[in-house]
Amino acid sequence: MNTIPTIFNERKIPYTVLGKSSGDVKTAVSVVVLNRGARYYLSSLFQNLIDLGLSSIVFVDSSPRGFELESLSSQFPEVKFLIPLENVTVGEMINLGISETSSDYVMVLWNDMVLSSSALPENLTDILNQSDVVCLAPVLIDEKNSLIPVQIVPSVTHRDFSTEQFFCRKDLTHTIYMYDFVGIYNREKFIDIGGFDYTIENPYWQNLDFGFRTHLWGMEILISNLYKMKYAGAPPLEDISADNSYINFYLKNLAPLVGKKGGCLPWYLFFSYAVRSGLNPFLAYKHFKAVQDWVHINKYRFVQSPQDLIYKWEPSI
């Protein structure tokens, strides 16, 4: 298996850059635009962001498909275009985009989203200055102007882990992760906790891994009712199937024990894990040992157990 990163952007992704001088100016908030599907929204999105005063923009493509971006680069010198030379996960796109910015705060959104001036209050960065807030997520609206349930709450039923979605009823509501990865990130804190784990390829489990790590390490993710974004098309569907990405998520976030000496992944948990994982013993051992080493390196960063995190959680009402 690939080595679990212990520092931010540990895996170096080869990529091409267009507009090398743009995106480097330190502004209050930089923007990372993630691409999925067709690019026909990009011109209007870039112009909208610039009109709102967001002049430091990084566009990250999702694969090296070779679409021509030179004309857009000439049209929008405010935008730095990053084209990876291999397929990347959503989390890697965000890691790459944030690594190419220099602002204290980075807004992440997709190319099929719309942001209005009234939906971006000036005091959002004040909330991100609080010592334990890593990301401030928005309320999201679908293409039919209906609210999307963006508060995600962890739960366990008969020892089976799952998440539940709720509508955000009040401002600054806690969520276990950012729906669709969207939000304004505190860049320094994001880098400090390691960003997204590229070894977890399924977007749902990758996002959930980031959110769990954030909370297990004593920080939080909030939703602001005053910060809103709208989809131009249909919102994406999450694949929540328990695949290989779930195995990594489980070992990193649900299996560790947390006590006075920090977090640990004791060997006696290996046997039950090996049986439930369905992997052959050799692969199961490699997975377990890699995560055990990762937990040991970060053991003093764990401030609460996964059980406490789940059972103390209360959805907004």
Side-chain angles (χ1 to χ4, degrees), residues 228-258:
K228 299 177 182 178
M229 276 199 247
K230 181 180 178 180
Y231 286 94
L237 297 176
E238 291 182 316
D239 177 9
I240 64 173
S241 57
D243 53 14
N244 288 338
S245 292
Y246 169 74
I247 294 173
N248 279 7
F249 165 79
Y250 167 80
L251 286 180
K252 288 180 65 183
N253 298 282
L254 299 181
L257 305 180
V258 180

Side-chain angles (χ1 to χ4, degrees), residues 1 6 10 30 45 57 84 86 98 101 113 132 152 157 162 165 169 174 186 191 198 205 210 244 247 256 285 310:
M1 65 176 293
T6 55
E10 188 169 327
S30 289
L45 174 60
I57 304 170
E86 58 189 53
I98 287 181
T101 65
M113 289 181 161
D132 53 358
I152 316 298
T157 304
S162 64
Q165 292 181 232
R169 305 296 184 188
H174 289 82
N186 182 304
I191 291 174
Y198 77 96
W205 297 112
F210 175 84
N244 288 338
I247 294 173
Y285 171 82
I310 294 169

Side-chain angles (χ1 to χ4, degrees), residues 11 22 30-31 84 115 126 146 198 273 289 293 295 317:
R11 176 178 179 249
S22 59
S30 289
V31 181
L115 176 69
D126 294 337
S146 297
Y198 77 96
Y273 153 74
K289 183 64 169 63
D293 292 344
V295 172
I317 299 175

Side-chain angles (χ1 to χ4, degrees), residues 84-150:
L85 301 181
E86 58 189 53
N87 290 330
V88 291
T89 65
V90 175
E92 286 176 299
M93 293 169 70
I94 297 173
N95 289 350
L96 182 58
I98 287 181
S99 71
E100 288 285 341
T101 65
S102 56
S103 301
D104 293 333
Y105 310 102
V106 182
M107 181 191 302
V108 172
L109 70 159
W110 292 90
N111 64 309
D112 57 358
M113 289 181 161
V114 179
L115 176 69
S116 68
S117 58
S118 62
L120 188 61
E122 294 182 359
N123 68 338
L124 293 182
T125 55
D126 294 337
I127 299 168
L128 284 161
N129 275 329
Q130 298 176 24
S131 61
D132 53 358
V133 179
V134 173
C135 185
L136 193 63
V139 169
L140 295 174
I141 303 165
D142 67 18
E143 78 279 18
K144 298 179 181 179
N145 289 319
S146 297
L147 289 174
I148 297 172
V150 294

Side-chain angles (χ1 to χ4, degrees), residues 264-284:
C264 70
L265 188 60
W267 272 113
Y268 71 78
L269 294 177
F270 168 74
F271 301 102
S272 61
Y273 153 74
V275 171
R276 296 186 67 183
S277 71
L279 298 173
N280 69 58
F282 177 72
L283 268 181

